Amino acid sequence: MLKKLYPYRFELFLFSQITILFGSLIFPGDFFETLISPVLFFINLLAGIVLISKKKKLMWFFVVLLIISGIVFSAGLLEDIGNKSLKLLNMGTYFLFYSIVTFEIIKQIWDTQFVNRNVIFGLISGYISLGLISFFICLSIEISHPTSFEGLRATVEQPQLFTERLMYYSYITLMTIGYGEIVPVTSLAQKAAILIGMMGQFYLVILTAIVVGKYINQKDR
């Protein structure tokens, strides 16, 4: 099964990421935040297993992360969904997952000799993964140190708006747009904003340039 899906690994991973980012446009906010969003992240973990399925040890590590994610989700349904320790464990699981899978995507793109549609999908999904890493960094900071980001206070009582706005901030910072509605006010949050901006620029400047260079050389041949 994994061998059949492997050629489509980047497409599957990218599609599952897009549903995470824009699923709230289809489903109601509370319903999406409490039930649909965890399921979509779970599916994204499955797509990540397909993506690294050729590395058996890493694949089994992802299976362990998948199990942890399932346990945390079930515990969240049975207990207080606002449990701080439970949230931090969930954030840590996904941060580790996206850090590893982003590194693997970058490595696969870096090592590729032929630029095709699959590589382009991988390039896009890697950038989206950086945004999700940024989101979990910011969310972990806000959970452990509340009011680290000014502009979120009005949404604290509405979890679906709170996470959506923080994800919005993460991607806006990654793309170095910075509209200014949400502002990092603590030293930790400000350092995170610098890190996120640098990650986005390094990815675009270095990896995209490498892919474009390989494509030009490929055309010249």
Side-chain angles (χ1 to χ4, degrees):
M1 181 68 175
L2 290 175
K3 287 183 179 179
K4 290 181 179 179
L5 292 175
Y6 188 78
Y8 308 100
R9 61 195 183 283
F10 289 131
E11 289 95 326
L12 292 171
F13 197 72
L14 178 60
F15 178 76
S16 59
Q17 287 176 318
I18 290 173
T19 58
I20 290 170
L21 286 177
F22 302 109
S24 60
L25 297 176
I26 301 172
F27 299 99
D30 289 329
F31 179 67
F32 179 82
E33 180 64 28
T34 56
L35 290 175
I36 301 298
S37 180
V39 171
L40 292 177
F41 274 110
F42 196 77
I43 292 171
N44 198 222
L45 272 169
L46 288 171
I49 290 173
V50 174
L51 196 147
I52 49 86
S53 58
K54 286 194 173 182
K55 296 187 175 181
K56 298 302 179 183
K57 290 183 179 179
L58 192 57
M59 185 188 77
W60 286 112
F61 179 70
F62 272 28
V63 170
V64 171
L65 291 181
L66 189 70
I67 293 170
I68 293 173
S69 176
I71 292 171
V72 170
F73 175 59
S74 301
L77 292 177
L78 295 173
E79 300 175 10
D80 179 14
I81 196 65
N83 185 283
K84 185 177 178 179
S85 299
L86 201 64
K87 283 184 176 180
L88 288 174
L89 176 61
N90 209 25
M91 297 307 101
T93 300
Y94 284 117
F95 176 79
L96 188 59
F97 165 72
Y98 283 110
S99 297
I100 295 172
V101 83
T102 302
F103 176 80
E104 184 60 28
I105 289 172
I106 291 172
K107 187 175 182 300
Q108 289 187 27
I109 293 173
W110 191 287
D111 293 339
T112 190
Q113 299 299 317
F114 183 77
V115 178
N116 54 19
R117 183 180 64 179
N118 210 31
V119 172
I120 302 302
F121 283 141
L123 191 67
I124 297 170
S125 63
Y127 193 70
I128 294 175
S129 292
L130 282 181
L132 291 171
I133 290 172
S134 305
F135 166 67
F136 287 118
I137 290 173
C138 293
L139 188 55
S140 298
I141 291 172
E142 185 62 27
I143 290 172
S144 57
H145 300 86
T147 69
S148 289
F149 297 90
E150 194 173 275
L152 293 175
R153 294 171 189 172
T155 63
V156 170
E157 301 302 322
Q158 298 174 287
Q160 77 281 4
L161 293 178
F162 174 75
T163 53
E164 281 185 17
R165 283 182 63 78
L166 204 51
M167 184 173 287
Y168 159 80
Y169 167 79
S170 301
Y171 276 97
I172 290 299
T173 305
L174 183 73
M175 294 183 287
T176 65
I177 296 173
Y179 289 119
E181 314 99 311
I182 303 169
V183 181
V185 292
T186 64
S187 178
L188 183 60
Q190 289 166 355
K191 296 296 183 185
I194 293 171
L195 176 64
I196 292 167
M198 289 175 65
M199 287 193 307
Q201 288 303 296
F202 287 154
Y203 188 94
L204 292 176
V205 171
I206 298 173
L207 199 64
T208 305
I210 288 172
V211 171
V212 171
K214 287 183 177 182
Y215 181 75
I216 291 172
N217 290 334
Q218 179 181 305
K219 283 292 184 179
D220 290 340
R221 291 174 191 168

